[in-house]
Amino acid sequence: MNINRRKFIHLAGLSTLLATLPSLATQTQDTRAAAFFIGHGTPMNAFTSNEFTKEWENLSKVIKKPKAILVVSAHWETMFPAVSTSVKPPMIYDFYGFPDFMYEAKYDAIGAPNIATNIVKTFKEEIFADPNQGLDHGAWSVLLKLFPKADVPVFQFSLAQSMSPMEHLQLAYEMNELRNQGVMIIGSGNIVHNIPSAMNDRKEGTREIVHEWATNFDNFVTSKIDNGDFKALANYHKMGRDAKMAVPTPEHFLPLLYVLGSTKISEKPQYYAKGFQEGSFSMRSVLFS
């Protein structure tokens, strides 16, 4: 074979390979699921229509239907990280003092035990399988609005109390690959969540007045997300009084880190449901899609 023929065959093969690259990129882009942090607020939001839930419902019409949904909720805490492997997750009514009809709500989604079991096998961190964990209200209250037909498999990932915020963020990096496989990551919590402050506001009759510390912290978090400085958010506890008031306990803030950790640098945040439900709860939601 002469050199010209060899060169021609090489170039032809290279051209064929290059021609496949756009289709491979498109395939990845088509299958990659969204990541969404949602400020869930009161469980009453599942049953009412307001400025925030209307935006959730509008999003339900444009978010691409995923292969499955992994929810990291503020309301499932364990000592060590765990994933639910239930075939048919039961409902969990983990709230009290609400109208009776709320304890009869149903969200009949199936689980995703195969995907969950694969997480146990492949994640670098030791993850425990929980075959009994159902859907807490941090999950089903928002899914009733986002995917009302319950036609997408749903499973949950716990918040490990043994881990620091930075360790949660590092664990979240492994969820990026899940999105490539069509698994949507939903973090359900609130950027600002201070129940004692809200209770005092109700006593004083000032529940609709948004606190300055709440606005400051909400804006701080937004600026760090916009700049891709997620590590600064994992160190939120070092950010002074505003952070201490906005995040007196970590469980409602940590789900945000799981969403941020599952993103790529090229993905830009889109904000929805901006504002406050009472003066101590930020409802801001962040979508990466």
Side-chain angles (χ1 to χ4, degrees):
M1 181 183 295
N2 62 44
I3 187 66
N4 290 333
R5 178 171 172 78
R6 188 183 301 118
K7 184 177 181 181
F8 172 79
I9 292 174
H10 172 74
L11 291 174
L14 183 60
S15 298
T16 301
L17 175 61
L18 291 174
T20 67
L21 291 180
S23 62
L24 290 173
T26 301
Q27 184 179 16
T28 301
Q29 189 175 25
D30 289 343
T31 58
R32 186 169 171 82
F36 188 37
F37 173 79
I38 186 164
H40 65 232
T42 170
M44 281 293 294
N45 285 324
F47 309 96
T48 58
S49 178
N50 54 48
E51 60 181 304
F52 308 114
T53 63
K54 287 177 182 177
E55 291 212 23
W56 300 354
E57 291 169 345
N58 289 335
L59 276 170
S60 73
K61 301 170 185 176
V62 297
I63 293 178
K64 183 177 64 178
K65 184 178 177 180
K67 176 182 177 181
I69 299 169
L70 175 56
V71 180
V72 184
S73 167
H75 298 283
W76 186 27
E77 294 184 274
T78 55
M79 182 55 64
F80 303 104
V83 64
S84 60
T85 57
S86 173
V87 175
K88 186 68 174 67
M91 296 286 285
I92 301 176
Y93 306 98
D94 47 345
F95 46 79
Y96 60 91
F98 288 90
D100 290 345
F101 73 87
M102 292 177 60
Y103 301 90
E104 299 174 1
K106 299 296 180 186
Y107 191 78
D108 293 324
I110 63 172
N114 291 338
I115 300 174
T117 301
N118 195 51
I119 287 175
V120 174
K121 293 177 180 178
T122 60
F123 272 31
K124 296 175 184 177
E125 184 74 26
E126 184 177 14
I127 311 296
F128 292 89
D130 188 332
N132 300 312
Q133 175 68 21
L135 300 179
D136 64 55
H137 83 268
W140 62 257
S141 68
V142 297
L143 291 173
L144 277 169
K145 297 289 188 179
L146 292 173
F147 297 93
K149 295 180 181 179
D151 55 352
V152 180
V154 180
F155 63 118
Q156 290 196 221
F157 197 91
S158 75
L159 296 174
Q161 295 174 325
S162 60
M163 297 173 64
S164 69
M166 187 62 73
E167 288 172 327
H168 283 288
L169 180 63
Q170 291 170 344
L171 179 55
Y173 293 151
E174 297 197 60
M175 292 186 180
N176 180 48
E177 180 55 32
L178 289 174
R179 292 181 58 199
N180 289 335
Q181 298 168 13
V183 179
M184 182 178 184
I185 310 298
I186 292 182
S188 180
N190 292 96
I191 290 174
V192 176
H193 186 272
N194 189 322
I195 290 179
S197 173
M199 293 177 67
N200 186 68
D201 287 341
R202 291 169 197 172
K203 186 190 306 182
E204 299 294 329
T206 57
R207 59 193 295 182
E208 300 305 324
I209 299 176
V210 180
H211 295 280
E212 183 178 5
W213 52 261
T215 302
N216 289 345
F217 188 73
D218 190 62
N219 290 336
F220 165 78
V221 170
T222 304
S223 69
K224 294 302 180 183
I225 294 174
D226 288 340
N227 294 329
D229 191 359
F230 303 156
K231 290 184 178 180
L233 295 179
N235 288 309
Y236 71 88
H237 51 288
K238 299 179 180 179
M239 298 302 170
R241 179 182 179 275
D242 291 344
K244 290 179 180 178
M245 291 297 295
V247 191
T249 55
E251 77 286 340
H252 278 75
F253 187 78
L254 292 176
L256 173 65
L257 299 183
Y258 279 89
V259 170
L260 299 179
S262 74
T263 65
K264 297 190 297 186
I265 295 176
S266 59
E267 293 180 298
K268 301 302 179 185
Q270 303 168 62
Y271 297 102
Y272 298 90
K274 294 174 285 187
F276 288 78
Q277 196 165 50
E278 302 188 19
S280 304
F281 304 109
S282 168
M283 294 296 290
R284 182 183 296 276
S285 298
V286 190
L287 175 67
F288 293 87
S289 175

